[in-house]
């Protein structure tokens, strides 16, 4: 079987590959409330009604299992957002499949930035509003690592045959794409330099 060069590079375990071109949302897909996501000065700006922006591009056919992911993020005071992984496109509502990694330094929700939402939550605030920081997610097998500016805040191993509550039944390691969350009209969050590295199965 012959693969094109671009395909080989995009699946090279040693390469960081961008998911966002800094100019458009052409490799992303959003359902309800699409106006929540715009591009400005090389950033994805998230501000508006509840919405989710799913990566739908060619990198690894937007289906990721083991990976490292990094994004630079800045929140304005009182803002809430998140990064989903192992998820799947939905037209509306909160994504049912996959895990959410929290983006929230000062919103009323007590689960702070870096939380593996509802699974292993972080109460301490490690990064500040109005300042850029790096959020890093690594999934390898059943292990999930989350770092903020290179500081580990979550190291979680999903139990074998894990059982979740009915409303969280799909919060499990599997495979899928990434999604960014637009939480509410009072939240404004900036994302840039979203990159991924594929890890071997």
């Amino acid at each position: 079987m012959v693969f094109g060069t671009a395909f080989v590079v995009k699946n090279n375990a040693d390469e960081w590959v961008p998911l966002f071109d800094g100019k458009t949302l052409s490799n992303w897909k959003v359902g309800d409330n699409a106006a929540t996501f715009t591009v400005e000065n090389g950033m994805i700006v998230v501000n508006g009604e509840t919405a989710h922006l799913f990566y739908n591009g060619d990198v690894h056919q937007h289906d990721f299992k083991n990976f490292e992911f990094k994004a630079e993020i800045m929140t304005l005071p009182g803002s809430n957002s998140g990064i989903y992984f192992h998820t799947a496109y939905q037209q509306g509502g909160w994504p049912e499949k996959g895990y959410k990694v929290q983006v929230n330094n000062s919103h009323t929700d007590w689960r702070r930035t870096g939380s593996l939402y509802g699974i292993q939550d972080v109460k301490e605030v490690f990064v500040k509003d109005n300042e850029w920081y790096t959020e890093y997610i690594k999934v390898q097998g059943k292990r999930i690592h989350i770092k903020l500016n290179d500081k580990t805040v979550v190291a979680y191993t999903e139990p074998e045959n894990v059982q979740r509550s009915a409303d969280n039944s799909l919060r499990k390691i599997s495979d899928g794409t990434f999604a960014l969350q637009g939480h509410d009209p009072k939240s404004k969050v900036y994302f840039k330099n979203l990159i991924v590295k594929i890890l071997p199965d």
Side-chain angles (χ1 to χ4, degrees):
M1 187 177 293
V2 177
F3 295 99
T5 302
F7 186 86
V8 173
V9 170
K10 288 174 181 175
N11 289 273
N12 189 326
D14 297 324
E15 295 287 336
W16 285 99
V17 182
L19 298 178
F20 168 54
D21 63 14
K23 299 175 183 177
T24 71
L25 296 177
S26 60
N27 289 322
W28 297 76
K29 184 177 181 180
V30 61
D32 297 344
N33 303 319
T36 292
F37 302 96
T38 57
V39 176
E40 178 182 316
N41 299 324
M43 306 175 292
I44 298 175
V45 183
V46 186
N47 182 221
E49 300 293 335
T50 302
H52 294 85
L53 181 69
F54 297 81
Y55 178 70
N56 194 47
D58 293 335
V59 177
H60 217 255
Q61 304 304 303
H62 55 270
D63 186 30
F64 305 92
K65 183 179 178 183
N66 294 320
F67 62 84
E68 292 178 81
F69 171 95
K70 286 195 287 190
E72 292 179 55
I73 304 170
M74 183 169 65
T75 57
L76 297 192
S79 294
N80 194 333
S81 183
I83 303 163
Y84 284 83
F85 65 87
H86 288 179
T87 194
Y89 174 77
Q90 285 182 210
Q91 178 66 28
W94 309 102
E96 296 177 3
K97 182 178 185 292
Y99 284 104
K100 176 189 170 184
V101 180
Q102 181 76 312
V103 174
N104 162 26
N105 300 318
S106 58
H107 186 268
T108 53
D109 187 339
W110 62 269
R111 295 175 175 91
R112 297 306 181 193
T113 296
S115 293
L116 188 62
Y117 198 90
I119 305 297
Q120 188 169 317
D121 293 308
V122 175
K123 296 181 179 180
E124 187 174 346
V125 178
F126 288 98
V127 291
K128 298 178 180 179
D129 291 324
N130 297 315
E131 293 183 7
W132 287 101
Y133 73 90
T134 299
E135 194 148 1
Y136 165 96
I137 305 164
K138 179 181 180 181
V139 177
Q140 182 82 69
K142 293 289 188 178
R143 295 189 59 77
I144 301 169
H145 281 87
I146 301 168
K147 295 181 181 180
L148 304 175
N149 291 337
D150 295 323
K151 178 181 177 62
T152 298
V153 296
V154 167
Y156 173 77
T157 301
E158 183 182 276
E160 293 294 331
N161 302 313
V162 63
Q163 298 296 313
R164 303 285 190 218
S165 60
D167 57 340
N168 281 320
S169 62
L170 299 179
R171 297 274 178 262
K172 296 178 181 178
I173 286 175
S174 56
D175 63 281
T177 193
F178 299 101
L180 306 181
Q181 181 179 77
H183 190 273
D184 63 82
K186 294 181 179 180
S187 293
K188 191 168 189 178
V189 181
Y190 301 88
F191 291 85
K192 65 180 182 179
N193 298 329
L194 290 81
I195 55 177
V196 69
K197 181 191 291 186
I198 306 304
L199 300 178
D201 291 345

